[in-house]
Amino acid sequence: MLSKPAGISNLFVLLGFMEKSTSWARGYWSVLIALTWFNLPLAVLIQYPNCSRLDREITEAAMTLGASPVRTFFTVVVPILQPTILTAFIILFVFTMGAFVTPTWLGGPEQWMYAVLIGDEALQRANQPFASALAMFYLVITTILVLITVWLGRKTHRNLGV
Amino acid sequence: MIRFARNLFYTAVLVVLSAPLFIVAGVSVNEKKFMIFPPRGFSFRWFTEVFEKTKWSEPLTNSLIIAFSSGVIALTIALPIAYFLWRYRVTYAKALCHRVDALRSAAGYHRAGHAGLLDRASPYRPA
């Protein structure tokens, strides 16, 4: 979809937005866009059950007190859903940290992500112990980051007093 | 007895889920350059190599930046969508919610749900 022969840039040329069709594959942004696109349905699915269990009276009360829908969303709904958002973020973060196929296909050597490095080390160079050591190192880093996120989330949640 | 069986089951699930981790951890302390489990010999030389060859620094920063930003972007798009589905009672979202409710009751939440402890405010509770 981001490539030159069959990409959306051809569509933009057809509509007159661009002079020539170019390739957007292979690059930082294409990896980012593709992974976001993968994460999007997952994010909706994780958050939907908790959204559907919101108490309608709370938002109604906020509206009755004169808050606009947008303001209700940001000052009432988001703080209530803060743990949900954090959980969803951690799940997406860990999923994306382990992404292998997308960065392999869409990223050049400069956009290699860690999982691709491990795969290269284990499959191309046949150095499995080194790859395993890399993986353990990565696991430790990811776990530390997730724990920090959980800790920060607990702290802000307590401060919000929800 | 039931508690014992349950704990046994949980332990079994945990062991099965973390089995690949143990294999990888075991392989990483191999002495020679082979994929052998249980490891032959014991050495931390692969770990010292990890800290000597720092070619992982760029992929690591790439991973961190991309994971963080794609997570944030996906969430900022997804939260309004999920909220909108609830707020404006989109019809096809009800099917999704029934599916979720069915999953939850399959997972053993049904008693709490029927006692009104859960989904008190759910507008989609199956009649």
Side-chain angles (χ1 to χ4, degrees):
Chain A
M1 206 175 98
L2 298 167
S3 70
K4 193 179 172 187
I8 38 172
S9 61
N10 288 326
L11 201 68
F12 286 149
V13 172
L14 209 69
L15 293 171
F17 293 137
M18 279 167 64
E19 293 277 303
K20 261 174 79 179
S21 65
T22 48
S23 169
W24 288 323
R26 304 246 164 233
Y28 215 85
W29 288 103
S30 59
V31 177
L32 184 63
I33 292 169
L35 285 173
T36 310
W37 184 76
F38 273 123
N39 279 343
L40 192 58
L42 198 66
V44 176
L45 271 178
I46 296 166
Q47 289 173 324
Y48 184 70
N50 286 297
C51 272
S52 71
R53 271 159 188 74
L54 273 175
D55 203 335
R56 240 166 237 284
E57 283 172 21
I58 295 172
T59 47
E60 272 162 18
M63 304 274 223
T64 317
L65 291 170
S68 67
V70 177
R71 202 176 153 196
T72 312
F73 179 73
F74 281 109
T75 56
V76 178
V77 176
V78 172
I80 290 175
L81 288 177
Q82 196 249 356
T84 315
I85 297 170
L86 198 74
T87 317
F89 174 73
I90 289 171
I91 292 173
L92 297 183
F93 183 76
V94 173
F95 260 53
T96 320
M97 290 290 266
F100 178 71
V101 180
T102 317
T104 321
W105 280 77
L106 287 175
E110 302 88 48
Q111 288 88 34
W112 268 14
M113 287 168 71
Y114 203 92
V116 187
L117 179 78
I118 294 173
D120 178 65
E121 208 54 66
L123 303 174
Q124 252 77 37
R125 290 164 209 258
N127 194 351
Q128 280 95 358
F130 184 52
S132 308
L134 278 174
M136 295 314 286
F137 179 61
Y138 194 42
L139 179 75
V140 170
I141 291 180
T142 313
T143 315
I144 290 172
L145 284 174
V146 167
L147 288 180
I148 289 174
T149 320
V150 169
W151 180 71
L152 281 177
R154 285 232 180 104
K155 220 172 136 190
T156 48
H157 194 59
R158 217 174 292 140
N159 287 348
L160 283 169
V162 184
Chain B
M1 183 62 207
I2 289 174
R3 175 174 288 178
F4 174 73
R6 193 173 52 194
N7 286 342
L8 196 72
F9 177 66
Y10 286 163
T11 320
V13 168
L14 261 180
V15 167
V16 168
L17 282 181
S18 57
L21 209 64
F22 285 117
I23 301 284
V24 170
V27 169
S28 71
V29 292
N30 256 328
E31 203 157 9
K32 297 240 171 70
K33 200 170 156 180
F34 294 123
M35 176 112 185
I36 294 170
F37 187 86
R40 287 198 193 148
F42 185 86
S43 75
F44 277 120
R45 78 183 181 100
W46 302 109
F47 284 94
T48 51
E49 205 172 304
V50 165
F51 286 105
E52 277 161 11
K53 292 186 195 167
T54 50
K55 60 177 178 178
W56 44 263
S57 65
E58 204 190 350
L60 183 65
T61 41
N62 276 342
S63 272
L64 289 176
I65 294 170
I66 291 179
F68 183 82
S69 37
S70 88
V72 168
I73 295 170
L75 279 183
T76 43
I77 303 172
L79 182 63
I81 294 176
Y83 179 65
F84 168 84
L85 289 176
W86 167 73
R87 178 74 181 74
Y88 295 99
R89 308 183 187 221
V90 179
T91 321
Y92 49 81
K94 287 180 192 171
L96 183 69
C97 193
H98 283 306
R99 184 65 51 82
V100 171
D101 275 343
L103 281 176
R104 286 200 174 204
S105 38
Y109 281 98
H110 57 287
R111 265 187 223 138
H114 281 291
L117 298 170
L118 276 175
D119 61 8
R120 191 160 39 94
S122 170
Y124 309 121
R125 193 152 32 153

